[in-house]
């Protein structure tokens, strides 16, 4: 009895014992547990599958009820706070607390990133909100990879290009919420054109891995996700690390203005898959993880159809393929944040060093390549490094895939020589400027690549050519602007994007982007304070989001002062050293 009495809690000063009638914390509801168990079926309960399981709940119930999160935490042997912090980090998960109504059955997302904003996304968003019935939710959303089809909307999981109030309303009311999968060459069609012959030669020992790595090194191909690290050299570095090694594919192209990876996945998915499997063989990775952004459900459907065919054909007999689904977080395009997300966590960038090639996914040496980088592997190896190097202009070598949007007559994916200028790109590949528009400026590398004026339209577009001007090519997302666009508004649109997408881990980025938006919304900008923010964010942010977020702002102040009414005189500021951020 004494032991029992001692185990009871005593409220200080109350003079009486108090016992707890129920266990601590939120309790698992039997019905919710049964529902989650039935939905998971025989799927593993590993922690790295948390985001995949959250998608199952979101897709099935239309939201994430707290009772289901509690049951999921119990089944996965995770603390509820671990599940909740991950679910609340990603934009595509809707958490519903006890007593709160579930969201409507249909959600329409309207992209408000730069290219769509130029095409009238704000008016579209307002008109949809005021015209649709209460049973349909209309929300703003960041870039969906449809910049060339602006304005872009998503109805449920279905992308809707060139959206209008009438077309979106009709599709939503008709219940057309599933992704449209375009026609593409399947496994049989790809093999009929010589596909997987190179991979088969490597699997059978008829060609050496060393030969392939050497060819990639000689070609000069650099990472096409944005950072531009030489591909062959990266393969060799990872191969030299102790086994076991892994591979991760970055398919999270969330940089506003970028849609080239989507294009290649939709038009020739097996060319990418073959390059991926060759890369995995090159570093002897027994497992490869494809991380695909959630805004590309049609690409995910293609891969879900074709990967099992590749496996059944014995083409992946040395490599196990995992397909992982993002959940609406631009930051997960940063390579280390992507690794965290694949592991089932919040997408918070890691401090470097160590680099992923040494300590990457699950703590193992990891090869990380972008979708487009892997797309070129087969062609470069088959045709030789000289073929790739034979292309180029203005002293540059190779090919570049440009995602072109904005005020051009023919936006879209443009395969052009490395080193082409934006003026040549507009005139030769895009049919010139849109009618009634005069070329004023351009983004050479997406939201974080800066903004340059038309007077600087003859700079070769390639790695290493733009950095001295405070810009970089990144993922080659070119957004063309005209005399109809106010650059002050353009910079504010981009900064609001960075504010929304900051992961919040480091203070310079989290507070800096918020402070910058507040300053930029005022009638007159405080240039001295903006310059100070630029220095702090560039020097002290953990990853490239914060380091590059102020690029458009400082360049608008430098090159487009005519767009500011009553702007205070410029304040001289030390130019921060341009960083080399990865693509997001």
């Amino acid at each position: 009895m004494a032991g029992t009495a001692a185990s009871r809690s005593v409220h200080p000063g109350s003079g009486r014992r108090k016992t707890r009638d129920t266990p601590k914390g939120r309790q698992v509801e039997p019905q919710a547990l049964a529902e989650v168990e039935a939905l998971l079926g025989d799927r593993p309960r590993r922690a790295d599958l948390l985001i995949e399981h959250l998608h199952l709940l979101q897709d099935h119930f239309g939201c994430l009820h707290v009772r289901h999160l509690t049951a999921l935490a119990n089944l996965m042997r995770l603390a509820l706070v671990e599940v909740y912090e991950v679910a609340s980090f990603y934009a595509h998960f809707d958490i519903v607390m006890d007593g709160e109504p579930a969201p409507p059955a249909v959600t329409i997302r309207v992209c408000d990133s730069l290219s769509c904003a130029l095409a009238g996304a704000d008016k579209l968003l307002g008109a949809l909100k005021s015209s649709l019935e209460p049973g349909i939710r209309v929300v703003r959303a960041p870039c969906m990879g449809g910049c060339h089809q602006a304005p872009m909307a998503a109805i449920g999981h279905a992308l809707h290009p060139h959206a209008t109030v009438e077309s979106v309303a009709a599709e939503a009311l008709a219940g057309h919420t599933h992704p449209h999968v375009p026609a593409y060459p399947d496994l049989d069609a790809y093999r009929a054109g010589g596909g997987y012959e190179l991979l088969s030669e490597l699997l059978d020992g008829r060609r050496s891995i060393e030969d392939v790595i050497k060819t990639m090194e000689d070609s000069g191909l650099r990472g096409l996700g944005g950072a531009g690290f030489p591909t062959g050299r990266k393969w060799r570095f990872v191969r030299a690390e102790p086994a076991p090694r892994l591979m991760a594919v970055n398919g999270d192209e969330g940089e506003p203005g970028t849609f080239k990876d989507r294009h290649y996945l939709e038009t020739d998915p097996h060319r990418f898959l073959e390059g991926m499997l060759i890369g995995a063989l090159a570093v002897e990775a027994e497992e490869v993880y494809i991380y695909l952004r959630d805004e590309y459900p049609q690409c995910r459907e293609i891969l879900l159809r074709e990967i099992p065919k590749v496996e059944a054909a014995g083409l992946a007999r040395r490599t196990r393929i995992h397909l992982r689904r993002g959940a609406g977080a631009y930051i997960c395009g940063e390579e280390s944040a992507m690794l965290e997300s694949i592991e089932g966590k919040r997408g918070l960038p890691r401090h470097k060093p160590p680099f992923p090639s040494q300590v990457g996914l699950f703590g193992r040496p990891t090869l990380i390549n972008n979708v487009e980088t892997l797309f070129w592997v087969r062609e470069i190896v088959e045709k030789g490094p000289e073929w790739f190097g034979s292309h180029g202009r203005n002293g540059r070598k190779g090919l570049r895939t440009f995602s072109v949007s904005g005020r051009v007559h023919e936006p879209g994916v443009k395969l052009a020589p490395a080193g082409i200028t934006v003026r040549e790109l507009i005139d030769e590949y895009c049919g010139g400027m849109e009618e009634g528009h005069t070329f004023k400026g351009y983004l050479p590398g997406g939201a974080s690549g800066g903004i340059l004026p038309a007077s600087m339209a003859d700079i070769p577009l390639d790695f290493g050519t733009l950095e001295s001007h405070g810009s970089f090519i990144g993922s080659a997302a070119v957004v063309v602007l005209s005399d109809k666009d106010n650059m002050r508004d353009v910079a504010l649109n981009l900064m609001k994007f960075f504010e929304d997408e900051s992961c919040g881990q480091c203070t310079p980025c989290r507070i800096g982007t918020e402070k910058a938006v507040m300053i930029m919304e005022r009638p007159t900008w405080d240039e001295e304070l903006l310059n100070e923010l630029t220095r702090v964010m560039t020097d002290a942010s953990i990853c490239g989001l914060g380091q590059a977020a102020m690029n458009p702002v400082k360049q608008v102040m430098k090159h487009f002062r005519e767009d500011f009414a009553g702007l205070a005189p410029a304040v001289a500021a030390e130019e921060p050293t341009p960083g080399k951020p990865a693509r997001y």
Side-chain angles (χ1 to χ4, degrees), residues 250-439:
N250 194 334
D252 194 75
E253 61 170 0
E255 182 78 17
T258 312
F259 45 90
K260 60 185 179 62
D261 289 354
R262 171 192 170 187
H263 169 79
Y264 286 126
L265 288 172
E266 288 181 346
T267 58
D268 204 352
H270 283 282
R271 190 173 295 269
F272 151 68
L273 288 172
E274 183 173 12
M276 178 191 75
L277 291 170
I278 291 170
L281 287 179
V283 299
E284 298 178 346
E286 295 182 357
E287 296 187 83
V288 56
Y289 291 78
I290 305 172
Y291 188 85
L292 184 66
R293 67 185 311 222
D294 200 30
E295 289 84 352
Y296 290 171
Q298 72 285 3
C299 298
R300 181 170 178 267
E301 182 61 32
I302 290 171
L303 294 176
L304 286 173
R305 293 178 186 178
E306 299 303 314
I307 289 174
K309 297 178 184 178
V310 171
E311 293 172 334
L315 296 167
R317 57 182 178 270
R318 294 191 197 172
T319 310
R320 185 178 180 187
I321 303 173
H322 305 268
L323 180 59
R324 293 295 174 86
R325 180 179 171 187
Y330 165 78
I331 193 63
C332 289
E334 195 277 333
E335 60 180 12
S336 65
M338 176 190 68
L339 299 181
E340 290 287 297
S341 191
I342 292 174
E343 292 179 3
K345 306 170 188 174
R346 293 176 294 166
L348 302 180
R350 300 174 181 176
H351 290 275
K352 301 173 186 177
F355 295 95
S357 60
Q358 300 167 309
V359 181
L361 191 58
F362 306 118
R364 299 179 182 179
T366 304
L367 172 65
I368 301 176
N369 280 141
N370 162 262
V371 168
E372 191 203 347
T373 305
L374 298 170
F375 181 88
W376 285 109
V377 170
R378 174 192 163 191
E379 196 147 11
I380 288 174
V381 175
E382 287 183 346
K383 295 182 178 179
E386 297 80 9
W387 167 81
F388 190 72
S390 67
H391 300 275
R393 288 188 188 178
N394 301 308
R396 314 303 295 183
K397 292 184 177 181
L399 290 166
R400 293 288 176 271
T401 304
F402 294 93
S403 305
V404 186
S405 62
R407 307 299 194 180
V408 294
H409 191 257
E410 299 170 5
V413 171
K414 312 295 180 180
L415 182 60
I420 193 173
T421 68
V422 73
R423 196 183 307 277
E424 293 169 337
L425 189 64
I426 293 170
D427 292 341
E428 298 176 30
Y429 289 82
C430 302
M433 293 292 293
E434 187 179 346
E435 188 174 352
H437 290 261
T438 301
F439 182 34

Side-chain angles (χ1 to χ4, degrees), residues 90-293:
Y90 295 94
H92 291 182
F93 294 138
D94 296 305
I95 299 177
V96 176
M97 306 301 291
D98 294 338
E100 291 182 349
V106 177
T107 294
I108 297 173
R109 291 182 169 86
V110 178
C111 174
D112 68 352
S113 290
L114 182 57
S115 296
C116 287
L118 298 177
D122 288 345
K123 292 181 180 179
L124 175 64
L125 180 64
L128 286 171
K129 283 184 175 181
S130 63
S131 64
L132 291 179
E133 57 189 49
I136 297 177
R137 179 175 59 164
V138 181
V139 298
R140 57 166 294 278
C143 188
M144 301 174 186
C147 319
H148 57 312
Q149 300 169 324
M152 175 65 72
I155 308 169
H157 289 296
L159 294 181
H160 188 79
H162 303 297
T164 65
V165 174
E166 295 75 19
S167 64
V168 172
E171 292 291 301
L173 293 173
H176 296 163
T177 60
H178 297 290
H180 168 70
V181 179
Y184 64 91
D186 62 7
L187 176 62
D188 291 338
Y190 181 70
R191 297 195 80 171
Y196 290 111
E197 281 298 317
L198 174 59
L199 177 65
S200 297
E201 290 177 5
L202 291 167
L203 288 171
D204 298 340
R206 289 177 285 140
R207 186 191 287 259
S208 72
I209 290 295
E210 175 59 32
D211 175 58
V212 171
I213 295 177
K214 182 66 166 55
T215 300
M216 296 302 295
E217 288 176 327
D218 293 343
S219 72
L221 179 69
R222 299 174 66 167
L224 298 172
F229 193 87
T231 302
R233 192 189 307 172
K234 180 185 284 190
W235 287 13
R236 194 174 294 283
F237 283 171
V238 176
R239 185 178 175 86
E241 293 294 325
R245 295 176 286 272
L246 299 173
M247 181 179 182
V249 177
N250 194 334
D252 194 75
E253 61 170 0
E255 182 78 17
T258 312
F259 45 90
K260 60 185 179 62
D261 289 354
R262 171 192 170 187
H263 169 79
Y264 286 126
L265 288 172
E266 288 181 346
T267 58
D268 204 352
H270 283 282
R271 190 173 295 269
F272 151 68
L273 288 172
E274 183 173 12
M276 178 191 75
L277 291 170
I278 291 170
L281 287 179
V283 299
E284 298 178 346
E286 295 182 357
E287 296 187 83
V288 56
Y289 291 78
I290 305 172
Y291 188 85
L292 184 66
R293 67 185 311 222

